[in-house]
Amino acid sequence: MKFKFPLQKVLEHRKVVENIAQKDFQDAVAVLNEYQTKLDKMRQDILDAQARAGSLLQAGGAQGPALVQIHEFLKGHKIRIQQQEQNIHEIEKIVEAKREILRQAALDYKIMEKTRENQFEEYKAERKIQDQKEMDEQAILRFKGMKES
């Protein structure tokens, strides 16, 4: 007789739920990384603009309009950076929620998998006992057959 886990469908369902949770988590992390990369680029743009302003100041002369333009860019860009940081903070909350969902799904699957393993071990032990009884019975029958001959 072959081992058949009575809750196999539940085990498979929990594995599917875990896989879906894993994909959702990975998608959320990818979005977070994308937002973080965009923020890093925005910060680099500020450094570049400040470097341009510094080089214009070093050059001297009538650089007023260019410096005003850089100053306006920096003001606006700092506001965009604050908005991006706020977006990142919100995405981090989503990632944490997805991580918790994934952790719970993985835990549920592991519990069911452990139950399956325990039942399989019980099955093997019962099977071993049953096989031993059958071998003992066969040995007794052989011994009786030899005795009667």
Side-chain angles (χ1 to χ4, degrees), residues 55-110:
S55 66
L56 287 174
L57 286 173
Q58 290 289 332
Q63 304 297 338
L67 289 173
V68 169
Q69 185 181 10
I70 290 173
H71 178 71
E72 290 301 317
F73 168 78
L74 290 174
K75 275 188 354 186
H77 216 55
K78 286 180 182 179
I79 292 170
R80 287 188 290 278
I81 285 176
Q82 287 175 344
Q83 290 171 341
Q84 187 69 10
E85 288 172 342
Q86 194 173 18
N87 290 341
I88 287 174
H89 185 66
E90 291 170 14
I91 297 290
E92 285 173 341
K93 287 180 185 177
I94 292 171
V95 166
E96 278 307 310
K98 301 275 184 186
R99 179 177 285 127
E100 182 58 30
I101 291 169
L102 173 60
R103 189 192 66 73
Q104 188 59 48
L107 184 63
D108 290 347
Y109 175 74
K110 284 182 182 182

Side-chain angles (χ1 to χ4, degrees), residues 14-51:
R14 288 190 179 178
K15 185 61 177 173
V16 168
V17 168
E18 180 185 12
N19 288 342
I20 290 170
Q22 178 71 32
K23 180 166 181 354
D24 288 348
F25 174 71
Q26 289 173 345
D27 291 346
V29 168
V31 169
L32 177 62
N33 289 339
E34 182 182 317
Y35 275 56
Q36 192 65 46
T37 301
K38 186 175 179 182
L39 178 64
D40 293 342
K41 184 185 178 319
M42 293 169 89
R43 287 183 175 150
Q44 185 59 45
D45 290 345
I46 283 192
L47 293 175
D48 293 344
Q50 289 171 338

Side-chain angles (χ1 to χ4, degrees), residues 132-148:
Q132 187 63 42
K133 283 182 183 179
E134 287 176 11
M135 287 191 291
D136 289 348
E137 239 177 78
Q138 287 176 0
I140 289 172
L141 290 176
R142 269 193 236 130
F143 182 72
K144 282 185 178 180
M146 289 172 56
K147 207 173 176 185
E148 291 175 0

Side-chain angles (χ1 to χ4, degrees), residues 3 5 7 11 14 108-122:
F3 173 71
F5 183 53
L7 299 173
L11 179 67
R14 288 190 179 178
D108 290 347
Y109 175 74
K110 284 182 182 182
I111 289 170
M112 190 57 63
E113 181 67 22
K114 189 67 174 168
T115 301
R116 183 187 152 296
E117 288 173 10
N118 290 342
Q119 286 187 7
F120 182 66
E121 291 299 320
E122 288 174 15

